[in-house]
Each structure stands twice: as C-alpha cells, then as structure tokens.
Amino acid sequence: MADDESGEGAGGGDASEGRGGGKSDANEGRGVPDAGRGRGGADAAKGGGGGGAAAAKGGADRLSSWARFKHTPFFPATVIVLLISAGAGLFAGSYTFAFANPTPRNIPTAIVTTDDGSAVRNQFLTGMEKALNASLKLHPYPSYAKARWSLEEQRVFAILRARGRGVELDVAGAAGATVAQVLSQAGGKVGRASGVPVTVRDLKPLQPGDPRGLAVFYISLAATIIGFLGAIQLSVNAAGLNPAERIGFNVAYAMLGAFSIAAIVDWGLEALRLPFAESWAILALTMITSGLVFSMFNVLFGRWALLPTWGVMVILGNPSSGGAVSWPLLPSLLGAIGRWLPPGASVNAQHTAIYFPHHQHPFPFLVLGGWSVVSAVVFWTWRHRHPGGRPPRATPTRC
C-alpha cells in the first residue's frame, strides 16, 4: 500500500509538473511579443531624445564653466582689478578737476556805498569784473563796519571801498587763501592798467606755520580717512563685537585719534595754534561720523562697503570741502555740495574755530550730526546684517 501511495504521489506530482510546465511555457510564449514591444518603444524613445540630451549637455557645459569660475578666488580678484582700475581714474580725475585750474566763478564781495569816490570805485570795479570774467557777486553795505561784520561772518570774501583818489581792497586769507590770492593779484593788475591807486590789505592773515592754509585741510583729511579705516579694522579684526560695542569702540578711537591729531599739529609741530578743546571736538565728531558712515554701508553692502564710503568721503567729499581750494573757485557742482558732506563741514568748522572764533556757525555741526545720526539709525535698524557679533550664551539647565 505504501508503494501504491508513493507511486500515485509521484505520478500526481509528475502530472502536476506537466500541467504547470505547460502553463509556464504558454505564459512565456505570450510574454515574448510584449517584451519585444517594450524594447522597441524604449529604443524609439532613446533614438528620439538623443538630440535634445546632447543639446542640454552642451548648454550645461557652457553654464557650468561660468558657475565654476564664480566659485573660484579668481572671480572676486577680477572684480577687484576692475574696481581698482576705475577707482584710480575717478580718484585722480576728481582731484585734478577740482584743484588743477582754480577759476573764479562766484566771489561774494562787499561794497561800501558812499558818495565820496564812487566814480573811482566804479571804474576799478569795471576793470575787476573784466579781469575776473564778471565773477564778483556784489553786496552793498552802507558802512564799513557792517561790511567788516559780514567778512567776519564769512558771508563775503573781500571789502571794496573808495579811499581818497584810490580804492582799498580788503581780503581775508583765512577765509580762503586761494580767493585772497586771486583778488590781490587781479586788484594790482587792474589798478596799474586803469591808473587807480589800489591798497590791498589782508584783514585775516594765515598763521605763520601754515602760510598756504593747507593745514586745516590736512587734519580734516586725516580725521576723515582714519575714521572709516578704524571702522574697517573693527569689522575685520574685532568681528566678535556686537553692534552696540562696535559703536562704543568707534567713539573711543575717535576721541583718542582726534586728540593725537590736534596734539601733534599744535604742540608737536607748532604748525597751527588751535583752540584745542573745540578743534579736538570737531576732529572727534568727524572721525565718529566717518566711522558710522562705513558701518552703515557695511550692513547695506557687506564686504563692498568701502566702495561707497570712499566715493562719498574721498572722491567727492575731500575735493569739494574747500580746504585746498576755496569753494568760490571750485566747479559749480562741487562748490554747491561740498558744505553738505562731512569733509566740507569739518573744514568749515575748523576754519571758523581757528580764525573766526566769535562767529562760529551751527550749520557744519548740524551736517556732521545729521550724517552721524542717519548712519547710526541705519546701522542699528539693519544690525541683524552686521557681519560679526557673538552667539548668545546658552542658558544652563538645572538637573
């Protein structure tokens, strides 16, 4: 019986295998055409998309070369080369444009209107306007005392009045050395040509240690440049400072740096006799303003902040400040905007403090203060973009 059951099982197994084998063969036979159709479709798709893939690969290669270049150190180096080249030309051009050929354009001049000698005075005026290309802007005053007050207020650069058979031309070298020089030279030539005796007096001469009147320009230039260079150094070498700490150190180096400038120029070199406290304050405010201007541009433009700072303070601000060439001899645009920029405000405040101590004006201080406040507000508002600072301390957990 066991053998029979075993035989039936074997036979049954063979039969089952036979049936299963038949179905499997049938299925395999039906699957071959389907596989053929699948391979045919894939080949067709592969053949149709070959051209587009090649074109996409070529475009990707072209884009990847530029993308790779942008992520190499050669990209910022190339940008810097181009910017430095343009900046060199702008720097030289701005100073040459302002200083190379100072030309009288609009010189405010006081005229003392008296009946005595009016004919001689008018004859001399006609000659002066021809010699200076009609660049005198005349302001009549009924007395010499009022004209002198206007000169002390730096509203006019010269006073003209009749004296006997000639005229007297009073200038103020401290208000503008180049303007005083132009007027003095032109007055002598016109007097000789017209036969009118001319007496030229300098009512506000420059100090003996600064005969050309450039020391004020130099100390203001130093305060301006060192002001933003200090802010750059804080940004690079003290990047861990928080925004408030950075402003505090800006004030600190401005106070010490301004003291150093004033002490060397006055006590060390004896080039200028300064009203020390006032000049120190002006220089410190200039340095604070310059540093805050860079800090403002730092949060707005990041690592390129030096470019707008240099443009505003050095390329545009210093040539138009009136320190090297007085504003009546500057090109019209520079003469108009110079007093609204920090370097021009600093020069004006220093000139007045040194040579016109009883006639100081609030305007230069308002300009410096306005730039400082606006720069500080922008810097503080966007302080989250400040490139530095320290991460907040972790709060310890209690076990």
Side-chain angles (χ1 to χ4, degrees):
M1 291 295 294
D3 293 338
D4 293 341
E5 291 174 2
S6 173
E8 290 174 359
D14 293 340
S16 299
E17 289 174 4
R19 290 191 299 269
K23 291 180 181 179
S24 175
D25 293 341
N27 290 335
E28 288 177 2
R30 286 193 302 270
V32 169
D34 295 338
R37 287 194 299 270
R39 287 194 298 271
D43 293 340
K46 181 179 180 180
K57 183 179 180 181
D61 290 340
R62 288 193 298 271
L63 293 176
S64 62
S65 61
W66 171 247
R68 285 195 301 268
F69 176 71
K70 288 177 65 176
H71 290 85
T72 65
F74 301 107
F75 175 71
T78 303
V79 173
I80 290 173
V81 167
L82 297 176
L83 291 175
I84 293 298
S85 301
L90 289 174
F91 181 76
S94 64
Y95 280 71
T96 303
F97 178 64
F99 299 156
N101 186 25
T103 303
R105 289 176 171 83
N106 185 12
I107 303 178
T109 304
I111 301 295
V112 180
T113 57
T114 58
D115 294 333
D116 298 336
S118 59
V120 176
R121 186 191 66 231
N122 292 338
Q123 180 183 355
F124 179 78
L125 271 177
T126 301
M128 285 290 289
E129 290 179 347
K130 289 181 180 179
L132 298 174
N133 195 22
S135 60
L136 292 179
K137 186 177 181 181
L138 303 179
H139 297 268
Y141 290 91
S143 66
Y144 181 80
K146 292 185 177 181
R148 177 63 186 265
W149 178 264
S150 184
L151 183 72
E152 295 285 344
E153 286 285 308
Q154 301 180 72
R155 297 175 183 173
V156 297
F157 285 80
I159 302 173
L160 181 64
R161 63 173 175 172
R163 297 288 285 180
R165 295 181 300 174
V167 295
E168 186 176 79
L169 180 63
D170 294 339
V171 297
T178 49
V179 174
Q181 182 181 4
V182 167
L183 291 176
S184 299
Q185 292 176 351
K189 293 179 181 179
V190 171
R192 289 189 296 269
S194 61
V196 177
V198 179
T199 302
V200 179
R201 300 188 307 169
D202 192 347
L203 301 180
K204 288 288 182 178
L206 295 165
Q207 295 184 12
D210 183 30
R212 299 181 61 189
L214 294 176
V216 172
F217 174 67
Y218 293 150
I219 64 175
S220 300
L221 177 65
T224 299
I225 294 180
I226 298 301
F228 67 74
L229 285 182
I232 292 174
Q233 290 303 307
L234 289 179
S235 177
V236 173
N237 296 313
L241 293 176
N242 291 326
E245 296 168 341
R246 178 167 168 173
I247 294 176
F249 276 91
N250 183 1
V251 174
Y253 76 68
M255 296 298 295
L256 291 178
F259 180 86
S260 176
I261 294 172
I264 289 175
V265 172
D266 189 350
W267 302 340
L269 301 177
E270 297 183 351
L272 282 176
R273 294 188 303 273
L274 300 175
F276 198 86
E278 187 175 2
S279 291
W280 179 14
I282 294 169
L283 292 170
L285 182 56
T286 303
M287 293 185 70
I288 292 171
T289 303
S290 185
L292 288 175
V293 167
F294 174 81
S295 299
M296 173 183 67
F297 288 134
N298 199 196
V299 297
L300 294 178
F301 301 106
R303 60 181 176 176
W304 303 109
L306 178 60
L307 296 178
T309 306
W310 188 266
V312 171
M313 294 295 187
V314 178
I315 293 181
L316 191 60
N318 284 323
S320 63
S321 66
V325 175
S326 300
W327 64 264
L329 305 183
L330 289 172
S332 301
L333 177 61
L334 295 181
I337 66 174
R339 66 198 73 185
W340 293 92
L341 298 176
S346 179
V347 167
N348 290 340
Q350 284 288 359
H351 261 137
T352 306
I354 297 170
Y355 293 106
F356 305 90
H358 303 295
H359 299 269
Q360 185 62 271
H361 301 285
F363 180 74
F365 297 95
L366 292 176
V367 172
L368 290 171
W371 277 88
S372 295
V373 170
V374 170
S375 300
V377 168
V378 173
F379 175 68
W380 190 259
T381 302
W382 279 275
R383 62 187 181 276
H384 59 280
R385 302 179 60 181
H386 170 243
R390 298 185 297 278
R393 295 180 180 179
T395 303
T397 57
R398 295 182 180 180
C399 297

